[in-house]
Amino acid sequence: MPADTKASRQMHWVKTRNLTYIILALWVLFGIILPWFAGSLNAYTFMGFPLGYYFCVQGSLIAFVALIWIQNWRQDAIDDEFGVGEE
Amino acid sequence: MSTESMSKRPAFLDNLGKVYFLYTLGFLAFFAIMAVFERLGGSAQAIGIGFLLFTIGIYAVIGWLSRTAEVDAYYVAGREVPALYNGMATAADWMSGASFVALAGGVYFGGYPYLGYIVGWTGGYVLVNSLMAPYLRKFGCYTVPDFIGTRYGGNTARLMAVIILVAASFTYVTAQINATGTIAAQTLGVPFEVGVWLGLLGIFICSMLGGMRGVTWTQVAQYIVLIIAYLVPIIWMSNKQGFGIIPHFSYGEGVFRIAELQAQYGLNPPAQPIAGLSVLTTPQNTPGDVMNSWKMVSLAICMMAGTASLPHILMRYFTTPSVRSARRSVGWSLLFIFLLYFSAPALATLTKLQLLDPNLATSIIGKPFADVANLEWIKHWASVGMLAVQDQNADGILQLNEFFMRPDIVVLATPEIAGLPFVISGLVAAGGLAAAMSTADGLLLAIANALSHDLYYKIIDPSASTKRRLTVARILLLFIGAAGALVASLKLTGILGAVAWAFDFACSGLFFPLVLGIWWKRANTAGAIAGMVGGFVSGSLYLYLVFNKIMDPWWGIDDIRFGIIGMAVSVVAMVVVSLMTKEPSKEVQAMVDEVRVPSGKTILSSGH
């Protein structure tokens, strides 16, 4: 377990922050950009649904659930790496 | 925490899985008994009353068993709720009468722009998880204003947070008590005003004695009831219509079929509108122009930011044992919420097909008017003013624009529309009641706790004893509940509208002060106050002007989207004022650093 120094805390935060930025960028994609362009996406069909409609009622929702679980999985790894992941 | 409670709790906590599994079996057994009772000739009303009494009885038992005299247990359930169960409790806390009763109806009548609710009310949890929950848990606060008051220091910031919390949560809770009253009145056959007070009584039973602990364990029970009640009718209908056992992945062709039928019948406004009731005029799915996209996305943004600022949700994550379990429980929460939210559009689609598709026996549009007006369910809902059929063009045929319905009743009426047995209607009523009660519990507790902890204990009387603090908290709960019921009985707005306002209030005033308090060390007291006051006042003013038609909405930002205005003002005011004034002290900056480390002691100690 690395020493709980200022530098290691700093590194922990930088990694945490970068992970959060990535997750938020994906959140913007599924929560804002895809629903915005639902009209154009409807030209395609997915599992029998118009694609734009599909994202608004299901696709983006599945993505949100996945985003949270993936972020937590990565964040646990970051916390453990710096020895701050105690239960 | 006293040793007595330490020795008493684990037995229950270790057996949570068993306890709730048996409870679920018991509920299903009760459902089966009611189904048999119906076969033997039991009336719809007796079945409905049976469901209500049975479920409320169980909640009351849980509420009684969870009674407590400890501050930590009363405010944060002793911080010992495992992630999975906190996820269920949050899902029940979250899914209100609006989600359960009104959402599918909103999608049914509102089309694409209303899908903003679906995306917004799920996507918000990504923000809760990445920006808020783990850090607030590390902080160790009892309430959301507790965080604001400690991070920014000073009673002004704390008081402002309390005011916004009360405004948002009170708006929300009246809608929930309204929904509770509607269901109780419908099922028990009593006037709405009586139903409201009966509903309130049920809410108090869950929250008065045990505070957050009681609410937590009843909410878990309520989640189980509400999700069963939501999914059973959908699956039933789906099988009748040939969409398979689980319709969620296969109703796509239903969307296309509805588009055909809409073109065939035509989406025209009614010849003579009826106040309070709607006819279908918005197509199921045609986004297309920029304005529609903006309406959808702006609504989603308000709901997402509102999710991440609503105190009754954030405070659920104060109850987990650790930071990691707080994050994990956000994951569970959204998974449980997702089960209902990806079902709502399926329900709206299937119900619409039931009514429109001439190939189905239940369809009414295009049928002879006299036949339709004689249907049992039409007569039932028309008699309470929730539905109307009028042959306005006198051609003897029911046209699409001659069928009027209150959007709020789509879910409740669906079992009858689809010709399902009464026992399903009873189940759905119990589910709707569970949804509305669980949310009302959480909201009332959020308000009463903020007033008792932040206003009374932290600002007015910091020397108050534990006993006194909890007594004050319970008395406040009574008064706020009564005030909520009083306002609800006035029936000021529809269920969905009032709920959207609560999200807008919360994100206008609290979103940026909370986020920047964790993510921007430079944020200081003056900035936070400017952000809260600026966002809340500008948002409320905009709402007042637009709602009363004193001014036209800007770029389609109407009364359910005023959070866009509030948040914009809030972030600008907060950043500008923070930069113009002195940076926060070394201690405060160190505190922010400490919040970002998941392990170690909380900032605020237990019992603070």
Side-chain angles (χ1 to χ4, degrees), chain A residues 9 13 27 35-36 48 53 58 72 76 79-80 84 86-87, chain B residues 112 123 129 248-249 252 256 284 293 304 324 327 594 596 599-600:
Chain A
R9 280 197 171 196
W13 180 244
W27 167 78
W36 179 283
Y53 183 84
Q58 205 172 100
N72 287 345
D76 286 353
D79 291 349
D80 290 340
V84 291
E86 60 167 356
E87 273 286 314
Chain B
Y112 168 71
N129 194 52
H248 302 73
F249 303 106
F256 287 109
Q284 171 100 351
S293 288
M304 291 195 268
R324 182 171 286 191
R327 276 196 279 107
E594 188 55 38
R596 295 171 177 182
S599 63

PDB file of all heavy atoms in Angstrom, chain A residues 9 13 27 35-36 48 53 58 72 76 79-80 84 86-87, chain B residues 112 123 129 248-249 252 256 284 293 304 324 327 594 596 599-600:
ATOM      1  N   ARG A   9      -2.122  11.234  -3.127  1.00  0.00           N
ATOM      2  CA  ARG A   9      -3.502  11.739  -3.129  1.00  0.00           C
ATOM      3  C   ARG A   9      -3.796  12.519  -4.397  1.00  0.00           C
ATOM      4  O   ARG A   9      -4.873  12.405  -4.982  1.00  0.00           O
ATOM      5  CB  ARG A   9      -3.697  12.678  -1.945  1.00  0.00           C
ATOM      6  CG  ARG A   9      -3.936  11.951  -0.659  1.00  0.00           C
ATOM      7  CD  ARG A   9      -4.512  12.929   0.327  1.00  0.00           C
ATOM      8  NE  ARG A   9      -4.950  12.242   1.513  1.00  0.00           N
ATOM      9  CZ  ARG A   9      -5.756  12.788   2.411  1.00  0.00           C
ATOM     10  NH1 ARG A   9      -6.187  14.023   2.257  1.00  0.00           N
ATOM     11  NH2 ARG A   9      -6.135  12.113   3.463  1.00  0.00           N
ATOM     12  N   TRP A  13      -6.594  11.670  -7.242  1.00  0.00           N
ATOM     13  CA  TRP A  13      -7.640  12.598  -7.667  1.00  0.00           C
ATOM     14  C   TRP A  13      -7.598  12.829  -9.175  1.00  0.00           C
ATOM     15  O   TRP A  13      -8.638  12.888  -9.828  1.00  0.00           O
ATOM     16  CB  TRP A  13      -7.525  13.919  -6.898  1.00  0.00           C
ATOM     17  CG  TRP A  13      -8.579  14.889  -7.315  1.00  0.00           C
ATOM     18  CD1 TRP A  13      -8.393  16.090  -7.932  1.00  0.00           C
ATOM     19  CD2 TRP A  13      -9.996  14.729  -7.193  1.00  0.00           C
ATOM     20  NE1 TRP A  13      -9.601  16.699  -8.188  1.00  0.00           N
ATOM     21  CE2 TRP A  13     -10.600  15.873  -7.743  1.00  0.00           C
ATOM     22  CE3 TRP A  13     -10.812  13.720  -6.672  1.00  0.00           C
ATOM     23  CZ2 TRP A  13     -11.971  16.059  -7.786  1.00  0.00           C
ATOM     24  CZ3 TRP A  13     -12.193  13.899  -6.725  1.00  0.00           C
ATOM     25  CH2 TRP A  13     -12.749  15.053  -7.271  1.00  0.00           C
ATOM     26  N   TRP A  27     -22.082  10.314 -21.113  1.00  0.00           N
ATOM     27  CA  TRP A  27     -23.419  10.700 -20.655  1.00  0.00           C
ATOM     28  C   TRP A  27     -24.019  11.757 -21.583  1.00  0.00           C
ATOM     29  O   TRP A  27     -25.186  11.705 -21.954  1.00  0.00           O
ATOM     30  CB  TRP A  27     -23.321  11.235 -19.219  1.00  0.00           C
ATOM     31  CG  TRP A  27     -24.523  11.939 -18.720  1.00  0.00           C
ATOM     32  CD1 TRP A  27     -25.676  11.372 -18.266  1.00  0.00           C
ATOM     33  CD2 TRP A  27     -24.708  13.356 -18.603  1.00  0.00           C
ATOM     34  NE1 TRP A  27     -26.562  12.341 -17.892  1.00  0.00           N
ATOM     35  CE2 TRP A  27     -25.986  13.561 -18.087  1.00  0.00           C
ATOM     36  CE3 TRP A  27     -23.901  14.460 -18.900  1.00  0.00           C
ATOM     37  CZ2 TRP A  27     -26.491  14.843 -17.849  1.00  0.00           C
ATOM     38  CZ3 TRP A  27     -24.405  15.727 -18.665  1.00  0.00           C
ATOM     39  CH2 TRP A  27     -25.683  15.908 -18.149  1.00  0.00           C
ATOM     40  N   PRO A  35     -30.554  11.667 -28.309  1.00  0.00           N
ATOM     41  CA  PRO A  35     -31.966  12.066 -28.312  1.00  0.00           C
ATOM     42  C   PRO A  35     -32.229  13.273 -29.207  1.00  0.00           C
ATOM     43  O   PRO A  35     -33.274  13.375 -29.841  1.00  0.00           O
ATOM     44  CB  PRO A  35     -32.239  12.407 -26.844  1.00  0.00           C
ATOM     45  CG  PRO A  35     -31.257  11.599 -26.089  1.00  0.00           C
ATOM     46  CD  PRO A  35     -30.025  11.562 -26.934  1.00  0.00           C
ATOM     47  N   TRP A  36     -31.267  14.183 -29.295  1.00  0.00           N
ATOM     48  CA  TRP A  36     -31.452  15.373 -30.137  1.00  0.00           C
ATOM     49  C   TRP A  36     -31.625  14.962 -31.601  1.00  0.00           C
ATOM     50  O   TRP A  36     -32.455  15.494 -32.314  1.00  0.00           O
ATOM     51  CB  TRP A  36     -30.260  16.321 -29.975  1.00  0.00           C
ATOM     52  CG  TRP A  36     -30.371  17.551 -30.814  1.00  0.00           C
ATOM     53  CD1 TRP A  36     -30.145  17.663 -32.158  1.00  0.00           C
ATOM     54  CD2 TRP A  36     -30.774  18.850 -30.375  1.00  0.00           C
ATOM     55  NE1 TRP A  36     -30.366  18.938 -32.568  1.00  0.00           N
ATOM     56  CE2 TRP A  36     -30.751  19.698 -31.507  1.00  0.00           C
ATOM     57  CE3 TRP A  36     -31.117  19.384 -29.126  1.00  0.00           C
ATOM     58  CZ2 TRP A  36     -31.084  21.053 -31.417  1.00  0.00           C
ATOM     59  CZ3 TRP A  36     -31.442  20.725 -29.054  1.00  0.00           C
ATOM     60  CH2 TRP A  36     -31.434  21.545 -30.186  1.00  0.00           C
ATOM     61  N   GLY A  48     -36.547  -3.897 -34.900  1.00  0.00           N
ATOM     62  CA  GLY A  48     -37.935  -3.581 -35.213  1.00  0.00           C
ATOM     63  C   GLY A  48     -38.377  -2.199 -34.775  1.00  0.00           C
ATOM     64  O   GLY A  48     -39.510  -1.799 -35.018  1.00  0.00           O
ATOM     65  N   TYR A  53     -36.135   6.555 -31.860  1.00  0.00           N
ATOM     66  CA  TYR A  53     -37.116   6.251 -30.819  1.00  0.00           C
ATOM     67  C   TYR A  53     -36.541   5.229 -29.851  1.00  0.00           C
ATOM     68  O   TYR A  53     -36.681   5.342 -28.640  1.00  0.00           O
ATOM     69  CB  TYR A  53     -38.392   5.706 -31.481  1.00  0.00           C
ATOM     70  CG  TYR A  53     -39.518   5.405 -30.529  1.00  0.00           C
ATOM     71  CD1 TYR A  53     -40.371   6.426 -30.119  1.00  0.00           C
ATOM     72  CD2 TYR A  53     -39.750   4.115 -30.074  1.00  0.00           C
ATOM     73  CE1 TYR A  53     -41.414   6.157 -29.248  1.00  0.00           C
ATOM     74  CE2 TYR A  53     -40.790   3.842 -29.201  1.00  0.00           C
ATOM     75  CZ  TYR A  53     -41.616   4.867 -28.799  1.00  0.00           C
ATOM     76  OH  TYR A  53     -42.654   4.604 -27.933  1.00  0.00           O
ATOM     77  N   GLN A  58     -35.102   3.179 -24.645  1.00  0.00           N
ATOM     78  CA  GLN A  58     -34.422   1.998 -24.143  1.00  0.00           C
ATOM     79  C   GLN A  58     -32.901   2.056 -24.249  1.00  0.00           C
ATOM     80  O   GLN A  58     -32.210   1.824 -23.269  1.00  0.00           O
ATOM     81  CB  GLN A  58     -34.942   0.775 -24.913  1.00  0.00           C
ATOM     82  CG  GLN A  58     -34.802  -0.511 -24.163  1.00  0.00           C
ATOM     83  CD  GLN A  58     -35.519  -1.638 -24.890  1.00  0.00           C
ATOM     84  OE1 GLN A  58     -34.892  -2.431 -25.576  1.00  0.00           O
ATOM     85  NE2 GLN A  58     -36.825  -1.713 -24.743  1.00  0.00           N
ATOM     86  N   ASN A  72     -18.063   2.552 -11.554  1.00  0.00           N
ATOM     87  CA  ASN A  72     -17.790   2.037 -10.208  1.00  0.00           C
ATOM     88  C   ASN A  72     -16.715   0.960 -10.220  1.00  0.00           C
ATOM     89  O   ASN A  72     -15.869   0.906  -9.328  1.00  0.00           O
ATOM     90  CB  ASN A  72     -19.073   1.491  -9.582  1.00  0.00           C
ATOM     91  CG  ASN A  72     -20.004   2.621  -9.187  1.00  0.00           C
ATOM     92  OD1 ASN A  72     -19.593   3.773  -9.114  1.00  0.00           O
ATOM     93  ND2 ASN A  72     -21.253   2.306  -8.941  1.00  0.00           N
ATOM     94  N   ASP A  76     -13.308   1.618  -8.254  1.00  0.00           N
ATOM     95  CA  ASP A  76     -12.845   0.687  -7.223  1.00  0.00           C
ATOM     96  C   ASP A  76     -11.376   0.349  -7.456  1.00  0.00           C
ATOM     97  O   ASP A  76     -10.573   0.312  -6.527  1.00  0.00           O
ATOM     98  CB  ASP A  76     -13.672  -0.610  -7.248  1.00  0.00           C
ATOM     99  CG  ASP A  76     -15.066  -0.403  -6.676  1.00  0.00           C
ATOM    100  OD1 ASP A  76     -15.316   0.700  -6.141  1.00  0.00           O
ATOM    101  OD2 ASP A  76     -15.893  -1.319  -6.776  1.00  0.00           O
ATOM    102  N   ASP A  79      -9.239   3.315  -6.497  1.00  0.00           N
ATOM    103  CA  ASP A  79      -9.165   3.452  -5.034  1.00  0.00           C
ATOM    104  C   ASP A  79      -8.227   2.403  -4.437  1.00  0.00           C
ATOM    105  O   ASP A  79      -7.419   2.709  -3.558  1.00  0.00           O
ATOM    106  CB  ASP A  79     -10.558   3.315  -4.404  1.00  0.00           C
ATOM    107  CG  ASP A  79     -11.445   4.500  -4.745  1.00  0.00           C
ATOM    108  OD1 ASP A  79     -10.927   5.496  -5.282  1.00  0.00           O
ATOM    109  OD2 ASP A  79     -12.665   4.427  -4.480  1.00  0.00           O
ATOM    110  N   ASP A  80      -8.340   1.167  -4.930  1.00  0.00           N
ATOM    111  CA  ASP A  80      -7.496   0.100  -4.392  1.00  0.00           C
ATOM    112  C   ASP A  80      -6.029   0.348  -4.703  1.00  0.00           C
ATOM    113  O   ASP A  80      -5.148   0.096  -3.888  1.00  0.00           O
ATOM    114  CB  ASP A  80      -7.937  -1.260  -4.956  1.00  0.00           C
ATOM    115  CG  ASP A  80      -9.279  -1.680  -4.393  1.00  0.00           C
ATOM    116  OD1 ASP A  80      -9.645  -1.144  -3.329  1.00  0.00           O
ATOM    117  OD2 ASP A  80      -9.968  -2.512  -5.002  1.00  0.00           O
ATOM    118  N   VAL A  84      -6.942   3.490  -0.834  1.00  0.00           N
ATOM    119  CA  VAL A  84      -7.996   4.245  -0.142  1.00  0.00           C
ATOM    120  C   VAL A  84      -9.359   3.603  -0.373  1.00  0.00           C
ATOM    121  O   VAL A  84     -10.385   4.248  -0.237  1.00  0.00           O
ATOM    122  CB  VAL A  84      -8.033   5.722  -0.595  1.00  0.00           C
ATOM    123  CG1 VAL A  84      -6.803   6.445  -0.109  1.00  0.00           C
ATOM    124  CG2 VAL A  84      -8.171   5.820  -2.103  1.00  0.00           C
ATOM    125  N   GLU A  86     -10.900   1.135   1.274  1.00  0.00           N
ATOM    126  CA  GLU A  86     -11.418   0.295   2.365  1.00  0.00           C
ATOM    127  C   GLU A  86     -12.940   0.295   2.367  1.00  0.00           C
ATOM    128  O   GLU A  86     -13.574   1.286   2.097  1.00  0.00           O
ATOM    129  CB  GLU A  86     -10.904   0.799   3.707  1.00  0.00           C
ATOM    130  CG  GLU A  86     -11.337   2.223   3.981  1.00  0.00           C
ATOM    131  CD  GLU A  86     -11.099   2.629   5.423  1.00  0.00           C
ATOM    132  OE1 GLU A  86     -10.666   1.792   6.204  1.00  0.00           O
ATOM    133  OE2 GLU A  86     -11.362   3.781   5.720  1.00  0.00           O
ATOM    134  N   GLU A  87     -13.495  -0.856   2.695  1.00  0.00           N
ATOM    135  CA  GLU A  87     -14.964  -0.955   2.778  1.00  0.00           C
ATOM    136  C   GLU A  87     -15.452  -0.304   4.049  1.00  0.00           C
ATOM    137  O   GLU A  87     -14.859  -0.501   5.098  1.00  0.00           O
ATOM    138  CB  GLU A  87     -15.380  -2.418   2.767  1.00  0.00           C
ATOM    139  CG  GLU A  87     -15.546  -2.971   1.366  1.00  0.00           C
ATOM    140  CD  GLU A  87     -16.818  -2.478   0.674  1.00  0.00           C
ATOM    141  OE1 GLU A  87     -17.888  -2.486   1.306  1.00  0.00           O
ATOM    142  OE2 GLU A  87     -16.727  -2.076  -0.489  1.00  0.00           O
TER     143      GLU A  87
ATOM    144  N   TYR B 112     -43.045  12.345 -28.598  1.00  0.00           N
ATOM    145  CA  TYR B 112     -41.593  12.459 -28.490  1.00  0.00           C
ATOM    146  C   TYR B 112     -41.097  13.443 -27.427  1.00  0.00           C
ATOM    147  O   TYR B 112     -40.223  13.078 -26.635  1.00  0.00           O
ATOM    148  CB  TYR B 112     -41.033  12.801 -29.880  1.00  0.00           C
ATOM    149  CG  TYR B 112     -39.589  13.226 -29.907  1.00  0.00           C
ATOM    150  CD1 TYR B 112     -38.565  12.312 -29.668  1.00  0.00           C
ATOM    151  CD2 TYR B 112     -39.241  14.537 -30.205  1.00  0.00           C
ATOM    152  CE1 TYR B 112     -37.244  12.706 -29.716  1.00  0.00           C
ATOM    153  CE2 TYR B 112     -37.918  14.939 -30.257  1.00  0.00           C
ATOM    154  CZ  TYR B 112     -36.921  14.020 -30.009  1.00  0.00           C
ATOM    155  OH  TYR B 112     -35.615  14.412 -30.045  1.00  0.00           O
ATOM    156  N   GLY B 123     -31.061   9.228 -16.771  1.00  0.00           N
ATOM    157  CA  GLY B 123     -29.717   9.757 -16.989  1.00  0.00           C
ATOM    158  C   GLY B 123     -29.206  10.564 -15.812  1.00  0.00           C
ATOM    159  O   GLY B 123     -28.003  10.674 -15.596  1.00  0.00           O
ATOM    160  N   ASN B 129     -24.085   9.636  -9.464  1.00  0.00           N
ATOM    161  CA  ASN B 129     -22.976   8.739  -9.165  1.00  0.00           C
ATOM    162  C   ASN B 129     -21.616   9.406  -9.359  1.00  0.00           C
ATOM    163  O   ASN B 129     -20.716   9.243  -8.542  1.00  0.00           O
ATOM    164  CB  ASN B 129     -23.064   7.491 -10.054  1.00  0.00           C
ATOM    165  CG  ASN B 129     -22.161   6.380  -9.568  1.00  0.00           C
ATOM    166  OD1 ASN B 129     -22.213   6.017  -8.397  1.00  0.00           O
ATOM    167  ND2 ASN B 129     -21.330   5.863 -10.439  1.00  0.00           N
ATOM    168  N   HIS B 248     -40.811  -5.814 -24.092  1.00  0.00           N
ATOM    169  CA  HIS B 248     -39.942  -4.645 -24.179  1.00  0.00           C
ATOM    170  C   HIS B 248     -39.061  -4.609 -25.417  1.00  0.00           C
ATOM    171  O   HIS B 248     -38.712  -3.555 -25.902  1.00  0.00           O
ATOM    172  CB  HIS B 248     -39.062  -4.562 -22.938  1.00  0.00           C
ATOM    173  CG  HIS B 248     -39.857  -4.483 -21.678  1.00  0.00           C
ATOM    174  ND1 HIS B 248     -40.532  -5.559 -21.174  1.00  0.00           N
ATOM    175  CD2 HIS B 248     -40.085  -3.465 -20.846  1.00  0.00           C
ATOM    176  CE1 HIS B 248     -41.155  -5.206 -20.066  1.00  0.00           C
ATOM    177  NE2 HIS B 248     -40.896  -3.937 -19.844  1.00  0.00           N
ATOM    178  N   PHE B 249     -38.657  -5.794 -25.893  1.00  0.00           N
ATOM    179  CA  PHE B 249     -37.724  -5.792 -27.005  1.00  0.00           C
ATOM    180  C   PHE B 249     -38.439  -6.035 -28.326  1.00  0.00           C
ATOM    181  O   PHE B 249     -37.814  -6.096 -29.362  1.00  0.00           O
ATOM    182  CB  PHE B 249     -36.646  -6.852 -26.770  1.00  0.00           C
ATOM    183  CG  PHE B 249     -35.922  -6.641 -25.472  1.00  0.00           C
ATOM    184  CD1 PHE B 249     -36.147  -7.450 -24.381  1.00  0.00           C
ATOM    185  CD2 PHE B 249     -35.047  -5.563 -25.342  1.00  0.00           C
ATOM    186  CE1 PHE B 249     -35.492  -7.227 -23.179  1.00  0.00           C
ATOM    187  CE2 PHE B 249     -34.390  -5.333 -24.146  1.00  0.00           C
ATOM    188  CZ  PHE B 249     -34.619  -6.161 -23.053  1.00  0.00           C
ATOM    189  N   GLY B 252     -41.517  -2.877 -31.124  1.00  0.00           N
ATOM    190  CA  GLY B 252     -41.130  -1.940 -32.176  1.00  0.00           C
ATOM    191  C   GLY B 252     -42.145  -1.862 -33.307  1.00  0.00           C
ATOM    192  O   GLY B 252     -42.514  -0.782 -33.760  1.00  0.00           O
ATOM    193  N   PHE B 256     -44.698   1.205 -35.321  1.00  0.00           N
ATOM    194  CA  PHE B 256     -45.017   1.439 -36.732  1.00  0.00           C
ATOM    195  C   PHE B 256     -46.519   1.300 -36.990  1.00  0.00           C
ATOM    196  O   PHE B 256     -47.112   2.065 -37.746  1.00  0.00           O
ATOM    197  CB  PHE B 256     -44.242   0.450 -37.614  1.00  0.00           C
ATOM    198  CG  PHE B 256     -42.773   0.767 -37.707  1.00  0.00           C
ATOM    199  CD1 PHE B 256     -41.832  -0.025 -37.095  1.00  0.00           C
ATOM    200  CD2 PHE B 256     -42.341   1.883 -38.423  1.00  0.00           C
ATOM    201  CE1 PHE B 256     -40.474   0.271 -37.185  1.00  0.00           C
ATOM    202  CE2 PHE B 256     -40.994   2.189 -38.520  1.00  0.00           C
ATOM    203  CZ  PHE B 256     -40.050   1.376 -37.902  1.00  0.00           C
ATOM    204  N   GLN B 284     -47.127   9.462 -31.991  1.00  0.00           N
ATOM    205  CA  GLN B 284     -46.309   8.655 -31.090  1.00  0.00           C
ATOM    206  C   GLN B 284     -44.828   8.962 -31.250  1.00  0.00           C
ATOM    207  O   GLN B 284     -44.096   9.061 -30.300  1.00  0.00           O
ATOM    208  CB  GLN B 284     -46.568   7.176 -31.403  1.00  0.00           C
ATOM    209  CG  GLN B 284     -45.647   6.214 -30.699  1.00  0.00           C
ATOM    210  CD  GLN B 284     -46.301   5.603 -29.490  1.00  0.00           C
ATOM    211  OE1 GLN B 284     -47.375   6.022 -29.088  1.00  0.00           O
ATOM    212  NE2 GLN B 284     -45.662   4.619 -28.896  1.00  0.00           N
ATOM    213  N   SER B 293     -36.630  18.752 -31.000  1.00  0.00           N
ATOM    214  CA  SER B 293     -35.400  18.240 -30.402  1.00  0.00           C
ATOM    215  C   SER B 293     -35.045  19.057 -29.166  1.00  0.00           C
ATOM    216  O   SER B 293     -34.692  18.509 -28.123  1.00  0.00           O
ATOM    217  CB  SER B 293     -34.243  18.328 -31.403  1.00  0.00           C
ATOM    218  OG  SER B 293     -34.402  17.382 -32.414  1.00  0.00           O
ATOM    219  N   MET B 304     -32.521  15.731 -15.402  1.00  0.00           N
ATOM    220  CA  MET B 304     -31.267  15.091 -14.985  1.00  0.00           C
ATOM    221  C   MET B 304     -30.592  15.898 -13.884  1.00  0.00           C
ATOM    222  O   MET B 304     -30.181  15.350 -12.860  1.00  0.00           O
ATOM    223  CB  MET B 304     -30.324  14.927 -16.187  1.00  0.00           C
ATOM    224  CG  MET B 304     -30.835  13.902 -17.175  1.00  0.00           C
ATOM    225  SD  MET B 304     -29.626  13.312 -18.382  1.00  0.00           S
ATOM    226  CE  MET B 304     -29.873  14.426 -19.726  1.00  0.00           C
ATOM    227  N   ARG B 324     -17.801   3.407  -0.918  1.00  0.00           N
ATOM    228  CA  ARG B 324     -17.904   2.452  -2.012  1.00  0.00           C
ATOM    229  C   ARG B 324     -19.325   1.887  -2.106  1.00  0.00           C
ATOM    230  O   ARG B 324     -19.884   1.753  -3.194  1.00  0.00           O
ATOM    231  CB  ARG B 324     -16.898   1.316  -1.817  1.00  0.00           C
ATOM    232  CG  ARG B 324     -16.921   0.314  -2.940  1.00  0.00           C
ATOM    233  CD  ARG B 324     -15.781  -0.677  -2.830  1.00  0.00           C
ATOM    234  NE  ARG B 324     -14.518  -0.066  -3.207  1.00  0.00           N
ATOM    235  CZ  ARG B 324     -13.393  -0.767  -3.396  1.00  0.00           C
ATOM    236  NH1 ARG B 324     -13.393  -2.074  -3.224  1.00  0.00           N
ATOM    237  NH2 ARG B 324     -12.281  -0.168  -3.733  1.00  0.00           N
ATOM    238  N   ARG B 327     -21.677   4.316  -3.789  1.00  0.00           N
ATOM    239  CA  ARG B 327     -21.605   4.275  -5.257  1.00  0.00           C
ATOM    240  C   ARG B 327     -22.317   3.045  -5.793  1.00  0.00           C
ATOM    241  O   ARG B 327     -23.089   3.112  -6.741  1.00  0.00           O
ATOM    242  CB  ARG B 327     -20.140   4.240  -5.704  1.00  0.00           C
ATOM    243  CG  ARG B 327     -19.498   5.600  -5.780  1.00  0.00           C
ATOM    244  CD  ARG B 327     -18.209   5.567  -6.576  1.00  0.00           C
ATOM    245  NE  ARG B 327     -17.066   5.086  -5.826  1.00  0.00           N
ATOM    246  CZ  ARG B 327     -16.501   3.890  -6.014  1.00  0.00           C
ATOM    247  NH1 ARG B 327     -16.986   3.056  -6.913  1.00  0.00           N
ATOM    248  NH2 ARG B 327     -15.462   3.531  -5.309  1.00  0.00           N
ATOM    249  N   GLU B 594     -10.074  16.388   1.501  1.00  0.00           N
ATOM    250  CA  GLU B 594     -10.392  15.216   2.306  1.00  0.00           C
ATOM    251  C   GLU B 594     -11.641  14.505   1.770  1.00  0.00           C
ATOM    252  O   GLU B 594     -11.714  13.280   1.757  1.00  0.00           O
ATOM    253  CB  GLU B 594     -10.590  15.666   3.768  1.00  0.00           C
ATOM    254  CG  GLU B 594     -10.730  14.558   4.775  1.00  0.00           C
ATOM    255  CD  GLU B 594      -9.575  13.555   4.746  1.00  0.00           C
ATOM    256  OE1 GLU B 594      -8.429  13.977   4.556  1.00  0.00           O
ATOM    257  OE2 GLU B 594      -9.864  12.351   4.895  1.00  0.00           O
ATOM    258  N   ARG B 596     -12.514  14.185  -1.171  1.00  0.00           N
ATOM    259  CA  ARG B 596     -12.210  13.462  -2.409  1.00  0.00           C
ATOM    260  C   ARG B 596     -11.520  12.128  -2.158  1.00  0.00           C
ATOM    261  O   ARG B 596     -11.318  11.357  -3.089  1.00  0.00           O
ATOM    262  CB  ARG B 596     -11.324  14.343  -3.298  1.00  0.00           C
ATOM    263  CG  ARG B 596     -12.062  15.605  -3.752  1.00  0.00           C
ATOM    264  CD  ARG B 596     -11.130  16.555  -4.442  1.00  0.00           C
ATOM    265  NE  ARG B 596     -11.860  17.731  -4.942  1.00  0.00           N
ATOM    266  CZ  ARG B 596     -11.285  18.713  -5.618  1.00  0.00           C
ATOM    267  NH1 ARG B 596      -9.990  18.670  -5.858  1.00  0.00           N
ATOM    268  NH2 ARG B 596     -11.998  19.728  -6.047  1.00  0.00           N
ATOM    269  N   SER B 599     -11.603   6.783   1.600  1.00  0.00           N
ATOM    270  CA  SER B 599     -11.448   6.097   2.881  1.00  0.00           C
ATOM    271  C   SER B 599     -11.279   7.106   4.016  1.00  0.00           C
ATOM    272  O   SER B 599     -11.169   8.300   3.796  1.00  0.00           O
ATOM    273  CB  SER B 599     -10.229   5.180   2.827  1.00  0.00           C
ATOM    274  OG  SER B 599      -9.075   5.968   2.633  1.00  0.00           O
ATOM    275  N   GLY B 600     -11.234   6.583   5.237  1.00  0.00           N
ATOM    276  CA  GLY B 600     -11.002   7.446   6.396  1.00  0.00           C
ATOM    277  C   GLY B 600     -12.295   7.955   7.003  1.00  0.00           C
ATOM    278  O   GLY B 600     -13.392   7.615   6.572  1.00  0.00           O
TER     279      GLY B 600
END
